[in-house]
Amino acid sequence: MGSSGQGTRNLRFGLTRLKTRHYICLLAAAALLSPGGEAQKQKAPEGYTLVWSDEFNGKDGSLPDPSKWTYDIGGSGWGNHELEYYTNRADNARIDDGKLVITARQEPYTGPDGGKFNYTSARLKTEGLFSQAYGRFESRIKLPAGQGIWPAFWMLGDNIGSAGWPKCGEIDIMENVGKEPGINHGSLHAPSSTSPTSDQTATITLPAGQKLSDDFHVYTVEWDPGTVRFFLDSNLYATFAAAQWPGGGTWVFDHRFFLILNVAVGGDWPGSPDTATVFPQKDAGGLRSRVQAQDLAWA
């Protein structure tokens, strides 16, 4: 799971179920500390039907559409010793110039229980509003950059409330940590009888020292019964199948999942920010973290 983002513009979803292929697409997402960019609308891939979308066409400064998005709120560390407190404020997630903007800030913040935090951010999800089993899930994202920054576009099983994690299953479509500026991680996480979790993970690295924060890239999974395929910019880099699942593990990717976009700060994997990590400022001249999604289709 990761949590830094910059701007999401359009979201669409599509699914593959029996003979109907549904498509969900988040085409453009710009990440924390990256300048915003315009995303190009794309048609649903051949053979898929668009079933869900968010064009982020609200007024500048408005909150994300509450009929499509809700929030995780709090600063519990989220199982990873993360440093941020997630809020539902426009300061951390808002519509800006036709994009969903998630802003991770370095600022003193006191939670309702009196807990003190040095960072705030946002974690948006479609839990209780939209979920789907199978299909094509796609997002066009420009990632943030910096030590300790951890953006992610991912999914959790909608039975998490009853089954808990990891029995609900987790699909990480885009996950990046600032210390690996050119590497995307695609992963599946599930329960195991022999270890804390059963997992399959693959990475893809941009060529010639390019950074994922330099430009927009399209992050995609195609999820069919028994198989999940991972793509970066239409390049297939991993295929995970139930038939090859690790011994002792249980394949749980056979029910509805909901979507999550977030930007985390710190944690066991990325480590803490350092003095070189740039954060947005409160004044108008400061950089802002954006996740820009255009034509996001999910299924």
Side-chain angles (χ1 to χ4, degrees):
M1 180 292 307
S3 71
S4 258
Q6 227 187 16
T8 299
R9 184 156 180 174
N10 300 326
L11 294 166
R12 298 178 182 173
F13 296 92
L15 316 173
T16 302
R17 184 186 287 275
L18 299 178
K19 295 183 178 179
T20 302
R21 307 191 78 193
H22 295 172
Y23 175 69
I24 299 173
C25 173
L26 166 57
L27 291 187
L32 177 64
L33 310 180
S34 305
E38 290 301 319
Q40 300 296 319
K41 289 188 176 182
Q42 296 184 8
K43 295 180 180 179
E46 184 176 356
Y48 285 90
T49 299
L50 180 64
V51 296
W52 188 98
S53 67
D54 188 348
E55 302 300 324
F56 301 111
N57 53 5
K59 293 181 179 179
D60 283 2
S62 64
L63 295 173
D65 186 343
S67 71
K68 297 176 179 178
W69 296 99
T70 185
Y71 302 81
D72 278 321
I73 297 175
S76 63
W78 302 98
N80 307 299
H81 301 104
E82 297 168 27
L83 302 177
E84 79 290 329
Y85 189 95
Y86 287 129
T87 83
N88 59 358
R89 307 178 303 167
D91 287 345
N92 294 115
R94 70 185 187 278
I95 302 302
D96 184 15
D97 191 26
K99 297 177 286 292
L100 168 64
V101 177
I102 298 177
T103 303
R105 297 177 176 273
Q106 185 176 28
E107 59 177 343
Y109 189 87
T110 301
D113 62 353
K116 304 292 185 180
F117 300 86
N118 294 318
Y119 305 94
T120 62
S121 188
R123 176 161 146 164
L124 279 71
K125 60 182 182 178
T126 65
E127 184 179 14
L129 301 171
F130 175 83
S131 63
Q132 186 61 51
Y134 312 127
R136 181 180 173 97
F137 299 73
E138 180 174 290
S139 178
R140 185 171 185 260
I141 304 174
K142 187 174 185 180
L143 294 188
Q147 168 59 34
I149 303 303
W150 186 6
F153 166 45
W154 53 302
M155 299 189 290
L156 285 173
D158 69 356
N159 62 339
I160 188 171
S162 58
W165 187 93
K167 289 183 179 179
C168 66
E170 176 178 333
I171 301 173
D172 297 321
I173 305 169
M174 179 280 293
E175 196 168 15
N176 170 261
V177 290
K179 61 188 176 184
E180 300 174 348
I183 300 176
N184 181 63
H185 297 252
S187 307
L188 301 182
H189 302 292
S192 173
S193 62
T194 59
S195 60
T197 59
S198 56
D199 316 277
Q200 289 203 332
T201 298
T203 62
I204 184 169
T205 303
L206 294 180
Q210 298 175 35
K211 301 177 181 179
L212 291 167
S213 60
D214 290 340
D215 206 344
F216 289 92
H217 296 276
V218 179
Y219 303 85
T220 304
V221 294
E222 291 182 349
W223 174 21
D224 298 319
T227 306
V228 182
R229 296 177 294 276
F230 290 78
F231 301 80
L232 176 64
D233 295 331
S234 75
N235 297 306
L236 174 64
Y237 68 94
T239 300
F240 300 144
Q244 287 81 43
W245 197 245
T250 302
W251 178 271
V252 293
F253 307 99
D254 52 8
H255 59 274
R256 302 173 75 93
F257 278 54
F258 62 88
L259 299 164
I260 305 172
L261 284 168
N262 72 295
V263 176
V265 180
D268 297 333
W269 185 17
S272 298
D274 59 24
T275 56
T277 306
V278 178
F279 281 92
Q281 301 296 317
K282 292 184 179 180
D283 61 18
L287 291 173
R288 282 168 172 72
S289 166
R290 300 183 177 184
V291 175
Q292 179 184 6
Q294 183 175 15
D295 300 337
L296 174 58
W298 313 14

